[in-house]
Amino acid sequence: MGTAGPAGPGRAGTGGPGGDNGLDSVPVLDLDPLLDDPATRIIVCCGAGGVGKTTTAAALGVRAAERGRRVVVLTIDPARRLAQSMGIDSLDNVPREVPGIKGSDGGELHAMMLDMKRTFDEIVEAHADADRARAILENPFYQSLSAGFAGTQEYMAMEKLGQLRARDEWDLIVVDTPPSRSALDFLDAPKRLGSFLDGKFIKLLMAPAKVGGRAGMKFLNVGMSMMTGTLGKLLGGPFLKDVQTFVAAMDTMFGGFRTRADATYKLLQAPGTAFLVVATPERDALREAAYFVERLAAEEMPLAGLVLNRVHGSGAARLSAERARAAAENLDEGRIVDQGAGKTPGRGPRAASPESHAPAAPPTAAPTPDLATAAGTTVAPSAPPVPEAAPTADGEHSAPTAPDASVAPDVRELTAGLLRLHAERMRVLAREQRTRDRFTALHPEVAVAEVAALPGDVHDLDGLRAIGDRLAIGRMP
């Protein structure tokens, strides 16, 4: 595979416990310097669908605004989650200021959601006279094209980006790319639309408008009548007439589409633009991210790095899945786990001797143990707490010690269940790390920021700030 283009600001990687973190040799993606740099004018968040592009774009916008920049976030996500998280009733094709931003030095945040058809209408209205614009806007084929033609959404996103940048009203534009089947659709859109406009079908339909006089009428009466007769049977006469009317009206605008597409494409290659590839630690998402990294390099577009979302962690990672599972099985069977010689659970130096005549205390149900404290560590909310592993003579940790038979069965069942949850969590961690390490092995030059998985959805500005804080740290604790 190819290599990425110039990487954004980064710092040396930091390893995890035991030095076995696969990110040791990979630079950390430093996002705050990128957001603070006045030379950074556009940040494009791209990647496969469902990886958190919208949330990442919104969190970056909030953080940049509260660090003093005037920011607009352009989202193409029709789910309207961005508006809800920013406390706005709805978003449309016009930037709306986000209330509640604690900006310094005049920092502001505006947000908008791409209205594909409205953007197309604006282009027609801006580049055609009133009569021609009205004819185009009322044309049935245009209405179908502007509402759902393949690639139109991606192209209109680039058109809107070009409009925002030309106004020079914002310090920073953050773009959330469309939730396409392929993340590459955003980059391919101008070429695809250009191919459509230059296609043989369009040129054939434009021919009568370009040929005049008697020769034109003769051509139209003979050649075009044959062609339109055939196409009319295939497509339907009224539809074909709508297409021909649309093409004739749009003829003078086709060159403008290509010119603006080329200008926006060059804008994406400019030094003031930074691409952030967003992914989750899953095979398909990182495969798509790798394709995108290589495509950006091939197109000479500036890559800042990879944002790896929804990464799982555990505050008790020193307890392996195998030992947790074995301890759970022993608890289920009521056995004592890994007891050293002379050690009996529940009997300490002050335990009563067999000769003691003191009356025995009545048996009571043992309280649920504080497993996080027993493990000697702080367990993340999403990670199952586990009991402490007992040290052996050589300093290694054995499997956790099970309670004796006097412990209430429900406590044993709870502990065994927590151990199984931990074992499953550790298997998830191992799978995510293997998937991530395959990507970093292929692209060791790409800076990476890890964002811990949250227990719930982000639904307000505080949640976006929390995501921004995790993005700034760049590594899982």
Side-chain angles (χ1 to χ4, degrees), residues 192-205:
R192 289 166 59 190
L193 187 61
S195 298
F196 168 73
L197 298 178
D198 290 331
K200 293 180 180 179
F201 177 65
I202 293 295
K203 289 181 178 179
L204 192 59
L205 294 176

Side-chain angles (χ1 to χ4, degrees), residues 13 58 81 86 113 130 134 141 219 242 262 268 280 284 328 333-334 364 368 371 382 429 444 472 475:
R81 289 170 297 175
M86 291 184 170
M113 186 176 73
R134 184 170 55 257
F141 178 72
F219 175 80
D242 291 338
D262 291 343
L268 294 176
T280 53
D284 292 343
E333 297 171 4
T364 58
T368 302
L371 299 180
S382 58
L429 264 63
R475 282 292 188 268

